[in-house]
Amino acid sequence: MVKHSRGNHLVFLITVGLLAWVVPGAGHYMLKEKKRAIIIFATIVLTFCIGLYVGSIGVINPADAKTWYLAQIMNSPMVAALGHLTTTAPENYLVFGKPNEIGQIYTGIAGLLNLLCIVNAVYLAHLCGTNRELTVKTPGKTGG
Amino acid sequence: MSLMCSLVMASITIPEKIGTDPQSMLWLLPLTAAIVVVYKATKLPTITLGTFVKETVVLLGSIVIFIIVIALVLFALAWLISG
């Protein structure tokens, strides 16, 4: 019974983490933290879009900028589709110099911010599960 | 609708023209604001409009002031060494 409960808790944590990765803020939304979710979604998507606007989608370059790509893909798995687009026709999306730098910094930092939010959402989900276990275990003490 | 779509596509497939002058560093200020907003969204125990805006402005202000102080110190050092 306990193992089953722990298994469910793990599945819950993984679901929250995956949701938070697929859509920024969705992990918090699942935990009924709607204000946090909206702020996180708006800020991360806006930051990522500014990066794309400044540097074009050429800043997502899985072939020549792998480290940046690792940070960028933390925004969402959908970034992989943009990466595929730029690697299949790199001559169409050439970007150099300052726009490339600023675009990479914006999109990379947006991804790292989403990573922070994923970790935060999973931690909050873990706390929710722990608190639920405590309230289930101690109803007799409170007279309920 | 197709014009709108074309405009959006054009804006993300052609890079902007940004020079290498010192003013281009100002592009990093909105990024700082974004970092502050997300950080505060994850750290505040309860989010209300007033508290959130106040905390965000205080943190962003302190970061900007610290950057200005560091810039002035570095500028003074460079002036002392080269001048």
Side-chain angles (χ1 to χ4, degrees):
Chain A
M1 184 69 187
V2 175
K3 274 185 186 173
H4 181 68
S5 169
R6 279 188 187 161
N8 279 349
H9 185 58
L10 192 65
V11 170
F12 178 60
L13 295 186
I14 292 169
T15 311
V16 168
L18 279 176
L19 260 178
W21 181 40
V22 173
V23 180
H28 286 87
Y29 192 84
M30 194 180 170
L31 300 170
K32 298 193 171 75
E33 293 275 354
K34 288 182 182 174
K35 284 179 190 170
R36 263 184 242 279
I38 291 166
I39 292 169
I40 289 167
F41 177 80
T43 313
I44 289 175
V45 169
L46 190 67
T47 309
F48 185 74
C49 288
I50 291 174
L52 289 187
Y53 174 73
V54 171
S56 82
I57 55 172
V59 296
I60 298 164
N61 190 349
D64 298 325
K66 281 179 188 156
T67 318
W68 279 114
Y69 182 68
L70 278 178
Q72 288 160 343
I73 203 159
M74 293 317 299
N75 278 296
S76 172
M78 281 177 270
V79 171
L82 290 177
H84 179 71
L85 194 69
T86 53
T87 44
T88 47
E91 66 279 358
N92 293 338
Y93 307 106
L94 292 176
V95 53
F96 303 102
K98 209 75 173 176
N100 186 38
E101 278 176 27
I102 293 175
Q104 279 182 331
I105 290 171
Y106 265 83
T107 49
I109 295 287
L112 294 177
L113 285 174
N114 196 35
L115 179 63
L116 174 79
C117 295
I118 293 168
V119 173
N120 186 253
V122 171
Y123 178 66
L124 284 178
H126 175 66
L127 285 184
C128 285
T130 314
N131 289 344
R132 205 180 302 142
E133 267 182 28
L134 281 175
T135 50
V136 168
K137 277 180 187 171
T138 56
K141 286 179 184 174
T142 54
Chain B
M1 187 64 190
S2 63
L3 178 70
M4 186 74 180
C5 194
S6 304
L7 281 173
V8 170
M9 284 305 291
S11 66
I12 63 164
T13 49
I14 301 163
E16 286 293 295
K17 283 176 185 161
I18 298 173
T20 50
D21 49 350
Q23 283 80 14
S24 66
M25 295 306 287
L26 291 174
W27 271 101
L28 298 180
L29 273 181
L31 186 67
T32 314
I35 293 169
V36 168
V37 168
V38 172
Y39 177 76
K40 281 294 170 190
T42 57
K43 284 292 167 190
L44 283 181
T46 48
I47 293 185
T48 55
L49 183 67
T51 324
F52 184 74
V53 171
K54 195 185 102 188
E55 293 273 340
T56 306
V57 168
V58 167
L59 184 58
L60 183 62
S62 55
I63 289 172
V64 170
I65 288 169
F66 191 72
I67 289 172
I68 291 169
V69 169
I70 293 284
L72 287 175
V73 169
L74 288 175
F75 183 76
L77 267 177
W79 183 74
L80 281 172
I81 291 167
S82 62

